[in-house]
Amino acid sequence: MAWKPRDIPDQTGRTFVITGANGGIGKHTTEALAGKGATVIMACRDTAKAQRVADGITGDVRVRALNLADLASVRAFADATGDIDVLINNAGLMNIPFSRTADGFETQWGVNHLGHFALTGLLLDRIGDRVVTLASIAHRQTPKLWIDDLNYEHRRYHRNLAYAQAKLSNLMFARELQHRLADARSPKRSYAVHPGVAATDLFARTETPLDWVAKPVVAVFGHSPRHAAESSLFAATTAGADPDTYWGPTWLFGSRGPVRPASSSKLSRDRDLQRRLWEQSERLTGVEYKF
């Protein structure tokens, strides 16, 4: 029988941090966890919007400022955060025009990957249970990881490839983190999940005519943000879930369906490339993990 959110055990006494929790998948993840008794910290750039969302959710839900496009904000959030049980790296940007973060990183890679890499490393000693990182079926859309030019300093920018590179980085980071936790004999776990395809606001921020039509079209072959949140909820709350498995929908090329072991690209499983990405991420963010 397929796993459903009703299978989530009581979460009373557990604390979750969810990035980008003020809409879409993050909002539904917050609602489900708070409904099971968890304390949820919504880590969001737009705190006013997040507070409006939080006000509509029953349970212990708290809003905190976090801008993943600014490492100073990431450090400030981490400095002000105490012990938590689970970090869900949910926030993301998709297919936006070229820009750079406050620290000079290409924005899609800087927010989706580097911001989460830094946040996880800075919080790791206070995370009691696990880290869940959202990747995407879009990780397959890039033929390689330009490990020597991750910031688009020497090549032409293609927004779809930049997004694919960022999501590939999310997947490779989650796997490398699990390898390193296991090597350190840590009881903590790292999970990579993908949500399938859902009609969220990600499809309305490209600053192209697609913003007007993408969400209705996606809703036809994808599934709802509520269903898309099931991958995160499964990995964040299931005691026996295998951290070496990539969890997500598998129907219609991974666009929808119940949470199951999902396939990933050969590139995403390249251990040497995972290690090199990790080293580059530590160098660029200045965050060195301690296990």
Side-chain angles (χ1 to χ4, degrees), residues 27-264:
K27 173 188 173 183
H28 291 293
T29 305
T30 299
E31 287 177 336
L33 292 171
K36 290 289 186 174
T39 294
V40 182
I41 299 172
M42 300 172 64
C44 304
R45 180 179 60 83
D46 187 339
T47 54
K49 179 180 179 181
Q51 191 60 58
R52 291 193 294 271
V53 171
D55 290 343
I57 298 175
T58 301
D60 187 359
V61 180
R62 309 170 188 183
V63 174
R64 293 265 311 282
L66 172 66
N67 182 0
L68 291 165
D70 185 344
L71 291 179
S73 175
V74 175
R75 290 183 180 277
F77 179 90
D79 287 345
T81 300
D83 291 341
I84 65 173
D85 295 282
V86 180
L87 169 63
I88 302 179
N89 291 322
N90 166 83
L93 297 170
M94 183 178 74
N95 294 353
I96 61 171
F98 180 80
S99 62
R100 293 200 180 276
T101 69
D103 304 282
F105 308 130
E106 185 277 312
T107 300
Q108 291 194 79
W109 193 65
V111 168
N112 295 357
H113 169 62
L114 284 180
H116 283 129
F117 179 91
L119 178 66
T120 305
L122 292 168
L123 288 178
L124 192 60
D125 64 337
R126 280 156 280 166
I127 297 172
D129 185 8
R130 64 188 73 183
V131 178
V132 178
T133 302
L134 272 71
S136 168
I137 57 175
H139 83 272
R140 293 180 175 277
Q141 295 175 1
T142 180
K144 63 180 291 186
L145 185 68
W146 283 266
I147 196 68
D148 296 320
D149 190 23
L150 293 163
N151 265 323
Y152 281 87
E153 295 169 345
H154 307 292
R155 57 191 167 113
R156 183 178 178 183
Y157 180 74
H158 295 279
R159 63 176 73 194
N160 61 324
L161 283 179
Y163 178 68
Q165 173 180 265
K167 291 287 103 178
L168 174 62
S169 296
N170 285 150
L171 177 50
M172 298 180 81
F173 157 63
R175 285 176 162 162
E176 181 65 11
L177 176 57
Q178 176 57 28
H179 294 319
R180 294 183 182 227
L181 289 169
D183 289 345
R185 300 186 182 277
S186 171
K188 302 174 187 181
R189 288 160 288 173
S190 169
Y191 291 86
V193 304
H194 81 83
V197 177
T200 69
D201 287 344
L202 283 181
F203 288 93
R205 296 173 180 167
T206 67
E207 299 182 25
T208 71
L210 286 175
D211 289 351
W212 299 96
V213 299
K215 285 180 69 175
V217 171
V218 166
V220 173
F221 65 86
H223 55 183
S224 70
R226 186 179 300 276
H227 282 105
E230 292 180 1
S231 300
S232 300
L233 291 166
F234 171 85
T237 64
T238 303
D242 179 9
D244 293 318
T245 296
Y246 183 39
W247 296 100
T250 59
W251 297 353
L252 289 176
F253 307 101
S255 62
R256 62 189 301 169
V259 181
R260 293 176 174 169
S263 62
S264 62

